[in-house]
Amino acid sequence: MLCSTCRIRPPVTAEGLCILCAGPAGASAPMPAAPPFASPQQLLRSPDGLAKAVVILLVVAAVSDLLAVLAGLNIRSLLGDVLDNGLATFDDAEADRADNLYVASGVLQLLAMLATGVVFILWFRRVRLNAEVFDASMQPMKPGWAVGAWFVPFANLVMPRRIAGGIWTASAQIHTDGSWRKVSAAPVNLWWGAWVCSSVFSRYASQQYMKAEEAQEIMDAAGRMLAADAFGIVAAVFAILFVRKLTRMQGERAALGVYPLS
């Protein structure tokens, strides 16, 4: 008597199956159920919550930049008095307070920047994954680069903008006939241009401030830091506009319920 399934080996079970056919790899082993089809609506995830968190953190970052501007103005005022009147009007206690305030504002800026960067990248990844559902053919890079692109030296001045462009285009609404509705990319360009200018100039100003030794050099370097902090405020404002606009576009696009085949 042979196995009722393969007709090759002798049976070892009451059902008449051989040892191989009765095992997990046997032909009679139950097949796993096919995964249910996931509709585009199920694949999409709302970026609203992350967008709100990003906007709040960008406001905090802008406030920290404003405090740094005020602390920088205070430093410049003290140094100006020293340059005009010599050390006769120099107050050690006041100078220490000004320096501590400037350091504290810098720490606040760093913490705000780190928190904002983490949440922004999480939001950026979310909208990139949604764009893959809307139209994968418009995306210049794989979804993983929505995170990785920010950590590639020098390339991070270009790659995230390319990714953002693909997300922006795919998130635009379509007309009732299925044709694409063109949406101005001005918010993307303003956000990216301000962010790059702020990042580059801030790094330069920080290096100059660290090198400064004489009173006039410190005063000039503090002025550059003021300009960098002002750039940071402008960049934060444009980033808020970009995040809010793109999040709203994705909500409108998802509400259509029609997605091109990729």
PDB file of all heavy atoms in Angstrom, residues 111-137:
ATOM      1  N   LEU A 111      18.123  72.658  20.126  1.00  0.00           N
ATOM      2  CA  LEU A 111      17.079  71.707  20.510  1.00  0.00           C
ATOM      3  C   LEU A 111      15.864  71.825  19.583  1.00  0.00           C
ATOM      4  O   LEU A 111      15.291  70.809  19.163  1.00  0.00           O
ATOM      5  CB  LEU A 111      16.660  71.959  21.959  1.00  0.00           C
ATOM      6  CG  LEU A 111      17.732  71.677  23.024  1.00  0.00           C
ATOM      7  CD1 LEU A 111      17.215  72.053  24.407  1.00  0.00           C
ATOM      8  CD2 LEU A 111      18.155  70.212  22.989  1.00  0.00           C
ATOM      9  N   ALA A 112      15.480  73.061  19.275  1.00  0.00           N
ATOM     10  CA  ALA A 112      14.335  73.265  18.384  1.00  0.00           C
ATOM     11  C   ALA A 112      14.629  72.722  16.988  1.00  0.00           C
ATOM     12  O   ALA A 112      13.762  72.112  16.346  1.00  0.00           O
ATOM     13  CB  ALA A 112      13.991  74.749  18.313  1.00  0.00           C
ATOM     14  N   MET A 113      15.861  72.923  16.526  1.00  0.00           N
ATOM     15  CA  MET A 113      16.231  72.444  15.194  1.00  0.00           C
ATOM     16  C   MET A 113      16.197  70.918  15.126  1.00  0.00           C
ATOM     17  O   MET A 113      15.681  70.335  14.162  1.00  0.00           O
ATOM     18  CB  MET A 113      17.625  72.943  14.841  1.00  0.00           C
ATOM     19  CG  MET A 113      18.120  72.493  13.461  1.00  0.00           C
ATOM     20  SD  MET A 113      19.855  72.894  13.170  1.00  0.00           S
ATOM     21  CE  MET A 113      20.650  71.775  14.342  1.00  0.00           C
ATOM     22  N   LEU A 114      16.720  70.248  16.163  1.00  0.00           N
ATOM     23  CA  LEU A 114      16.743  68.783  16.171  1.00  0.00           C
ATOM     24  C   LEU A 114      15.325  68.215  16.203  1.00  0.00           C
ATOM     25  O   LEU A 114      14.997  67.290  15.446  1.00  0.00           O
ATOM     26  CB  LEU A 114      17.549  68.283  17.364  1.00  0.00           C
ATOM     27  CG  LEU A 114      19.059  68.539  17.326  1.00  0.00           C
ATOM     28  CD1 LEU A 114      19.711  68.093  18.621  1.00  0.00           C
ATOM     29  CD2 LEU A 114      19.698  67.824  16.141  1.00  0.00           C
ATOM     30  N   ALA A 115      14.490  68.755  17.078  1.00  0.00           N
ATOM     31  CA  ALA A 115      13.116  68.269  17.181  1.00  0.00           C
ATOM     32  C   ALA A 115      12.349  68.503  15.886  1.00  0.00           C
ATOM     33  O   ALA A 115      11.632  67.616  15.392  1.00  0.00           O
ATOM     34  CB  ALA A 115      12.405  68.947  18.353  1.00  0.00           C
ATOM     35  N   THR A 116      12.511  69.690  15.333  1.00  0.00           N
ATOM     36  CA  THR A 116      11.822  70.016  14.082  1.00  0.00           C
ATOM     37  C   THR A 116      12.301  69.124  12.945  1.00  0.00           C
ATOM     38  O   THR A 116      11.493  68.643  12.137  1.00  0.00           O
ATOM     39  CB  THR A 116      12.047  71.490  13.709  1.00  0.00           C
ATOM     40  OG1 THR A 116      11.636  72.315  14.789  1.00  0.00           O
ATOM     41  CG2 THR A 116      11.256  71.859  12.457  1.00  0.00           C
ATOM     42  N   GLY A 117      13.615  68.895  12.879  1.00  0.00           N
ATOM     43  CA  GLY A 117      14.168  68.061  11.813  1.00  0.00           C
ATOM     44  C   GLY A 117      13.630  66.646  11.846  1.00  0.00           C
ATOM     45  O   GLY A 117      13.266  66.075  10.815  1.00  0.00           O
ATOM     46  N   VAL A 118      13.545  66.055  13.047  1.00  0.00           N
ATOM     47  CA  VAL A 118      13.051  64.675  13.173  1.00  0.00           C
ATOM     48  C   VAL A 118      11.599  64.572  12.715  1.00  0.00           C
ATOM     49  O   VAL A 118      11.241  63.707  11.900  1.00  0.00           O
ATOM     50  CB  VAL A 118      13.193  64.183  14.626  1.00  0.00           C
ATOM     51  CG1 VAL A 118      12.459  62.862  14.821  1.00  0.00           C
ATOM     52  CG2 VAL A 118      14.671  64.016  14.989  1.00  0.00           C
ATOM     53  N   VAL A 119      10.754  65.452  13.225  1.00  0.00           N
ATOM     54  CA  VAL A 119       9.324  65.382  12.889  1.00  0.00           C
ATOM     55  C   VAL A 119       9.092  65.756  11.423  1.00  0.00           C
ATOM     56  O   VAL A 119       8.228  65.170  10.749  1.00  0.00           O
ATOM     57  CB  VAL A 119       8.510  66.288  13.826  1.00  0.00           C
ATOM     58  CG1 VAL A 119       7.021  66.205  13.498  1.00  0.00           C
ATOM     59  CG2 VAL A 119       8.728  65.887  15.277  1.00  0.00           C
ATOM     60  N   PHE A 120       9.856  66.722  10.917  1.00  0.00           N
ATOM     61  CA  PHE A 120       9.707  67.101   9.507  1.00  0.00           C
ATOM     62  C   PHE A 120      10.031  65.924   8.590  1.00  0.00           C
ATOM     63  O   PHE A 120       9.314  65.675   7.606  1.00  0.00           O
ATOM     64  CB  PHE A 120      10.616  68.283   9.172  1.00  0.00           C
ATOM     65  CG  PHE A 120      10.481  68.757   7.748  1.00  0.00           C
ATOM     66  CD1 PHE A 120       9.572  69.743   7.413  1.00  0.00           C
ATOM     67  CD2 PHE A 120      11.254  68.191   6.728  1.00  0.00           C
ATOM     68  CE1 PHE A 120       9.437  70.173   6.092  1.00  0.00           C
ATOM     69  CE2 PHE A 120      11.124  68.612   5.415  1.00  0.00           C
ATOM     70  CZ  PHE A 120      10.209  69.605   5.096  1.00  0.00           C
ATOM     71  N   ILE A 121      11.099  65.191   8.888  1.00  0.00           N
ATOM     72  CA  ILE A 121      11.476  64.050   8.051  1.00  0.00           C
ATOM     73  C   ILE A 121      10.407  62.960   8.117  1.00  0.00           C
ATOM     74  O   ILE A 121      10.107  62.307   7.110  1.00  0.00           O
ATOM     75  CB  ILE A 121      12.855  63.517   8.461  1.00  0.00           C
ATOM     76  CG1 ILE A 121      13.949  64.523   8.076  1.00  0.00           C
ATOM     77  CG2 ILE A 121      13.150  62.164   7.804  1.00  0.00           C
ATOM     78  CD1 ILE A 121      15.334  64.141   8.538  1.00  0.00           C
ATOM     79  N   LEU A 122       9.810  62.756   9.300  1.00  0.00           N
ATOM     80  CA  LEU A 122       8.710  61.788   9.410  1.00  0.00           C
ATOM     81  C   LEU A 122       7.529  62.209   8.546  1.00  0.00           C
ATOM     82  O   LEU A 122       6.922  61.380   7.857  1.00  0.00           O
ATOM     83  CB  LEU A 122       8.268  61.654  10.867  1.00  0.00           C
ATOM     84  CG  LEU A 122       9.262  60.986  11.823  1.00  0.00           C
ATOM     85  CD1 LEU A 122       8.731  61.037  13.249  1.00  0.00           C
ATOM     86  CD2 LEU A 122       9.527  59.545  11.404  1.00  0.00           C
ATOM     87  N   TRP A 123       7.210  63.499   8.569  1.00  0.00           N
ATOM     88  CA  TRP A 123       6.126  63.999   7.712  1.00  0.00           C
ATOM     89  C   TRP A 123       6.503  63.867   6.242  1.00  0.00           C
ATOM     90  O   TRP A 123       5.675  63.461   5.411  1.00  0.00           O
ATOM     91  CB  TRP A 123       5.863  65.469   8.047  1.00  0.00           C
ATOM     92  CG  TRP A 123       4.960  66.158   7.059  1.00  0.00           C
ATOM     93  CD1 TRP A 123       3.598  66.144   7.046  1.00  0.00           C
ATOM     94  CD2 TRP A 123       5.372  66.945   5.925  1.00  0.00           C
ATOM     95  NE1 TRP A 123       3.133  66.882   5.976  1.00  0.00           N
ATOM     96  CE2 TRP A 123       4.194  67.376   5.276  1.00  0.00           C
ATOM     97  CE3 TRP A 123       6.611  67.320   5.419  1.00  0.00           C
ATOM     98  CZ2 TRP A 123       4.236  68.170   4.128  1.00  0.00           C
ATOM     99  CZ3 TRP A 123       6.648  68.107   4.284  1.00  0.00           C
ATOM    100  CH2 TRP A 123       5.463  68.530   3.654  1.00  0.00           C
ATOM    101  N   PHE A 124       7.744  64.182   5.898  1.00  0.00           N
ATOM    102  CA  PHE A 124       8.207  64.121   4.517  1.00  0.00           C
ATOM    103  C   PHE A 124       8.108  62.691   3.988  1.00  0.00           C
ATOM    104  O   PHE A 124       7.706  62.459   2.840  1.00  0.00           O
ATOM    105  CB  PHE A 124       9.657  64.618   4.453  1.00  0.00           C
ATOM    106  CG  PHE A 124      10.131  64.975   3.067  1.00  0.00           C
ATOM    107  CD1 PHE A 124       9.586  66.037   2.375  1.00  0.00           C
ATOM    108  CD2 PHE A 124      11.147  64.237   2.458  1.00  0.00           C
ATOM    109  CE1 PHE A 124      10.031  66.371   1.102  1.00  0.00           C
ATOM    110  CE2 PHE A 124      11.602  64.555   1.194  1.00  0.00           C
ATOM    111  CZ  PHE A 124      11.041  65.632   0.506  1.00  0.00           C
ATOM    112  N   ARG A 125       8.468  61.723   4.819  1.00  0.00           N
ATOM    113  CA  ARG A 125       8.364  60.316   4.425  1.00  0.00           C
ATOM    114  C   ARG A 125       6.893  59.931   4.218  1.00  0.00           C
ATOM    115  O   ARG A 125       6.561  59.197   3.286  1.00  0.00           O
ATOM    116  CB  ARG A 125       8.997  59.429   5.484  1.00  0.00           C
ATOM    117  CG  ARG A 125       8.888  57.930   5.186  1.00  0.00           C
ATOM    118  CD  ARG A 125       9.568  57.103   6.258  1.00  0.00           C
ATOM    119  NE  ARG A 125       9.460  55.678   5.987  1.00  0.00           N
ATOM    120  CZ  ARG A 125       8.438  54.925   6.368  1.00  0.00           C
ATOM    121  NH1 ARG A 125       7.424  55.483   7.055  1.00  0.00           N
ATOM    122  NH2 ARG A 125       8.393  53.637   6.089  1.00  0.00           N
ATOM    123  N   ARG A 126       6.022  60.410   5.075  1.00  0.00           N
ATOM    124  CA  ARG A 126       4.597  60.081   4.957  1.00  0.00           C
ATOM    125  C   ARG A 126       4.027  60.597   3.640  1.00  0.00           C
ATOM    126  O   ARG A 126       3.331  59.849   2.921  1.00  0.00           O
ATOM    127  CB  ARG A 126       3.843  60.686   6.152  1.00  0.00           C
ATOM    128  CG  ARG A 126       2.314  60.503   6.111  1.00  0.00           C
ATOM    129  CD  ARG A 126       1.905  59.073   6.365  1.00  0.00           C
ATOM    130  NE  ARG A 126       2.415  58.605   7.637  1.00  0.00           N
ATOM    131  CZ  ARG A 126       1.851  58.834   8.835  1.00  0.00           C
ATOM    132  NH1 ARG A 126       0.737  59.556   8.899  1.00  0.00           N
ATOM    133  NH2 ARG A 126       2.377  58.334   9.933  1.00  0.00           N
ATOM    134  N   VAL A 127       4.300  61.857   3.303  1.00  0.00           N
ATOM    135  CA  VAL A 127       3.744  62.404   2.064  1.00  0.00           C
ATOM    136  C   VAL A 127       4.391  61.740   0.842  1.00  0.00           C
ATOM    137  O   VAL A 127       3.757  61.614  -0.211  1.00  0.00           O
ATOM    138  CB  VAL A 127       3.891  63.939   1.996  1.00  0.00           C
ATOM    139  CG1 VAL A 127       3.036  64.596   3.068  1.00  0.00           C
ATOM    140  CG2 VAL A 127       5.344  64.382   2.125  1.00  0.00           C
ATOM    141  N   ARG A 128       5.650  61.294   0.989  1.00  0.00           N
ATOM    142  CA  ARG A 128       6.302  60.595  -0.119  1.00  0.00           C
ATOM    143  C   ARG A 128       5.640  59.240  -0.363  1.00  0.00           C
ATOM    144  O   ARG A 128       5.436  58.835  -1.525  1.00  0.00           O
ATOM    145  CB  ARG A 128       7.800  60.412   0.180  1.00  0.00           C
ATOM    146  CG  ARG A 128       8.536  59.512  -0.808  1.00  0.00           C
ATOM    147  CD  ARG A 128       8.500  60.061  -2.222  1.00  0.00           C
ATOM    148  NE  ARG A 128       9.118  59.154  -3.156  1.00  0.00           N
ATOM    149  CZ  ARG A 128       8.507  58.114  -3.735  1.00  0.00           C
ATOM    150  NH1 ARG A 128       7.216  57.884  -3.471  1.00  0.00           N
ATOM    151  NH2 ARG A 128       9.139  57.339  -4.593  1.00  0.00           N
ATOM    152  N   LEU A 129       5.295  58.511   0.683  1.00  0.00           N
ATOM    153  CA  LEU A 129       4.616  57.222   0.531  1.00  0.00           C
ATOM    154  C   LEU A 129       3.230  57.420  -0.079  1.00  0.00           C
ATOM    155  O   LEU A 129       2.780  56.613  -0.904  1.00  0.00           O
ATOM    156  CB  LEU A 129       4.510  56.518   1.881  1.00  0.00           C
ATOM    157  CG  LEU A 129       5.836  56.045   2.491  1.00  0.00           C
ATOM    158  CD1 LEU A 129       5.616  55.493   3.900  1.00  0.00           C
ATOM    159  CD2 LEU A 129       6.473  54.971   1.610  1.00  0.00           C
ATOM    160  N   ASN A 130       2.551  58.484   0.299  1.00  0.00           N
ATOM    161  CA  ASN A 130       1.249  58.776  -0.311  1.00  0.00           C
ATOM    162  C   ASN A 130       1.407  59.092  -1.793  1.00  0.00           C
ATOM    163  O   ASN A 130       0.580  58.688  -2.621  1.00  0.00           O
ATOM    164  CB  ASN A 130       0.585  59.956   0.401  1.00  0.00           C
ATOM    165  CG  ASN A 130       0.050  59.588   1.773  1.00  0.00           C
ATOM    166  OD1 ASN A 130      -0.079  58.414   2.102  1.00  0.00           O
ATOM    167  ND2 ASN A 130      -0.244  60.585   2.583  1.00  0.00           N
ATOM    168  N   ALA A 131       2.464  59.828  -2.127  1.00  0.00           N
ATOM    169  CA  ALA A 131       2.704  60.160  -3.535  1.00  0.00           C
ATOM    170  C   ALA A 131       2.941  58.907  -4.361  1.00  0.00           C
ATOM    171  O   ALA A 131       2.611  58.868  -5.556  1.00  0.00           O
ATOM    172  CB  ALA A 131       3.906  61.104  -3.651  1.00  0.00           C
ATOM    173  N   GLU A 132       3.515  57.872  -3.754  1.00  0.00           N
ATOM    174  CA  GLU A 132       3.720  56.605  -4.456  1.00  0.00           C
ATOM    175  C   GLU A 132       2.384  55.992  -4.863  1.00  0.00           C
ATOM    176  O   GLU A 132       2.262  55.365  -5.909  1.00  0.00           O
ATOM    177  CB  GLU A 132       4.475  55.629  -3.540  1.00  0.00           C
ATOM    178  CG  GLU A 132       4.955  54.364  -4.216  1.00  0.00           C
ATOM    179  CD  GLU A 132       6.226  54.572  -5.023  1.00  0.00           C
ATOM    180  OE1 GLU A 132       6.792  55.682  -4.975  1.00  0.00           O
ATOM    181  OE2 GLU A 132       6.639  53.611  -5.691  1.00  0.00           O
ATOM    182  N   VAL A 133       1.364  56.191  -4.038  1.00  0.00           N
ATOM    183  CA  VAL A 133       0.025  55.687  -4.348  1.00  0.00           C
ATOM    184  C   VAL A 133      -0.629  56.550  -5.420  1.00  0.00           C
ATOM    185  O   VAL A 133      -1.262  56.038  -6.348  1.00  0.00           O
ATOM    186  CB  VAL A 133      -0.848  55.665  -3.073  1.00  0.00           C
ATOM    187  CG1 VAL A 133      -2.256  55.155  -3.400  1.00  0.00           C
ATOM    188  CG2 VAL A 133      -0.206  54.799  -1.996  1.00  0.00           C
ATOM    189  N   PHE A 134      -0.452  57.855  -5.316  1.00  0.00           N
ATOM    190  CA  PHE A 134      -1.059  58.757  -6.296  1.00  0.00           C
ATOM    191  C   PHE A 134      -0.500  58.509  -7.693  1.00  0.00           C
ATOM    192  O   PHE A 134      -1.249  58.351  -8.648  1.00  0.00           O
ATOM    193  CB  PHE A 134      -0.810  60.215  -5.895  1.00  0.00           C
ATOM    194  CG  PHE A 134      -1.479  60.624  -4.626  1.00  0.00           C
ATOM    195  CD1 PHE A 134      -0.888  61.550  -3.781  1.00  0.00           C
ATOM    196  CD2 PHE A 134      -2.700  60.089  -4.256  1.00  0.00           C
ATOM    197  CE1 PHE A 134      -1.505  61.933  -2.600  1.00  0.00           C
ATOM    198  CE2 PHE A 134      -3.332  60.462  -3.084  1.00  0.00           C
ATOM    199  CZ  PHE A 134      -2.724  61.388  -2.247  1.00  0.00           C
ATOM    200  N   ASP A 135       0.802  58.488  -7.824  1.00  0.00           N
ATOM    201  CA  ASP A 135       1.437  58.233  -9.121  1.00  0.00           C
ATOM    202  C   ASP A 135       2.924  57.971  -8.908  1.00  0.00           C
ATOM    203  O   ASP A 135       3.724  58.912  -8.783  1.00  0.00           O
ATOM    204  CB  ASP A 135       1.236  59.412 -10.073  1.00  0.00           C
ATOM    205  CG  ASP A 135       1.531  59.023 -11.523  1.00  0.00           C
ATOM    206  OD1 ASP A 135       2.319  58.081 -11.731  1.00  0.00           O
ATOM    207  OD2 ASP A 135       0.969  59.643 -12.434  1.00  0.00           O
ATOM    208  N   ALA A 136       3.296  56.690  -8.887  1.00  0.00           N
ATOM    209  CA  ALA A 136       4.696  56.314  -8.657  1.00  0.00           C
ATOM    210  C   ALA A 136       5.602  56.737  -9.806  1.00  0.00           C
ATOM    211  O   ALA A 136       6.804  56.940  -9.615  1.00  0.00           O
ATOM    212  CB  ALA A 136       4.796  54.803  -8.439  1.00  0.00           C
ATOM    213  N   SER A 137       5.043  56.886 -11.011  1.00  0.00           N
ATOM    214  CA  SER A 137       5.866  57.218 -12.179  1.00  0.00           C
ATOM    215  C   SER A 137       6.444  58.624 -12.099  1.00  0.00           C
ATOM    216  O   SER A 137       7.403  58.943 -12.796  1.00  0.00           O
ATOM    217  CB  SER A 137       5.034  57.074 -13.460  1.00  0.00           C
ATOM    218  OG  SER A 137       3.994  58.046 -13.508  1.00  0.00           O
TER     219      SER A 137
END
